[in-house]
Amino acid sequence: SKMPSTSADAPGAVGSSLVHTNAIFSMVDYLMSGLFVRFPSLRVMYSEGQAGWLPYMLDRVDVVWDENRAWGGVADKVPNPPSSYIRDHVYFCIFQDKVALENLDIIPVENLTYEVDYPHSDSTFPRSREIAERHMSKLSQQQVDAICRDNAIRIFGLTPEGRWPG
């Protein structure tokens, strides 16, 4: 996918700062299109998009759904508030997102996994563990285990050793 930018001559740092916008556009499209209603087993995972933006977007899509669904094209497609589809359908990978980790009262911890994004320039490598420990210092061990290991095992159907079954 193409990196988002503001203009043809914008510095590369603009695209790196805005890469999450691809995830936002896509997620809102999924939530408002009714795809999760039509395809109840559909699951989507966003890599490199972080999740700190999620609390605002969940509030915003619910407000738009509530106030505009009669004319906004969602009344017949999305019977419940859009945010209610996140827990069962949308997963997020984070690698340097302390904002997401500070908002686990809104972002379901079961829907987060940790990535290092190696070998990209935006990666936390080779300080991934140090950064993760700092950002997760206020989380319980159960939350850390979920984000760093257990969620990926469950979501991808891995064995506890990290291998595909069979």
Side-chain angles (χ1 to χ4, degrees):
S1 71
K2 188 174 182 193
M3 291 287 285
S5 191
T6 55
S7 65
D9 62 347
V14 172
S16 291
S17 299
L18 296 175
V19 73
H20 69 284
T21 59
N22 287 327
I24 294 172
F25 287 14
S26 171
M27 185 196 75
V28 171
D29 196 355
Y30 274 107
L31 292 175
M32 295 298 204
S33 68
L35 284 173
F36 295 132
V37 176
R38 288 183 18 225
F39 302 100
S41 63
L42 178 63
R43 305 290 182 268
V44 176
M45 179 172 252
Y46 291 101
S47 176
E48 301 180 31
Q50 309 294 354
W53 48 267
L54 195 56
Y56 170 74
M57 285 312 307
L58 294 181
D59 182 63
R60 181 66 185 152
V61 294
D62 284 355
V63 166
V64 170
W65 175 84
D66 187 49
E67 294 180 359
N68 303 321
R69 69 178 172 262
W71 63 265
V74 296
D76 59 336
K77 296 177 183 175
V78 185
N80 300 306
S83 66
S84 68
Y85 298 98
I86 293 293
R87 188 172 302 277
D88 293 333
H89 298 279
V90 187
Y91 302 94
F92 306 87
C93 299
I94 60 171
F95 62 89
Q96 192 161 358
D97 190 348
K98 63 183 177 185
V99 175
L101 297 170
E102 292 168 352
N103 284 282
L104 296 181
D105 56 326
I106 298 169
I107 300 170
V109 70
E110 302 85 6
N111 293 55
L112 292 178
T113 61
Y114 195 76
E115 66 177 319
V116 295
D117 204 24
Y118 176 83
H120 294 147
S121 61
D122 203 18
S123 171
T124 57
F125 182 83
R127 299 180 315 120
S128 302
R129 183 177 182 133
E130 169 195 333
I131 291 168
E133 287 174 347
R134 186 173 68 244
H135 288 174
M136 296 185 198
S137 65
K138 295 180 182 170
L139 274 56
S140 71
Q141 188 61 52
Q142 184 178 3
Q143 290 172 314
V144 172
D145 290 348
I147 294 167
C148 293
R149 179 177 185 273
D150 298 340
N151 291 345
I153 291 171
R154 177 180 44 81
I155 293 165
F156 293 110
L158 302 172
T159 65
E161 296 80 29
R163 293 189 300 267
W164 293 102

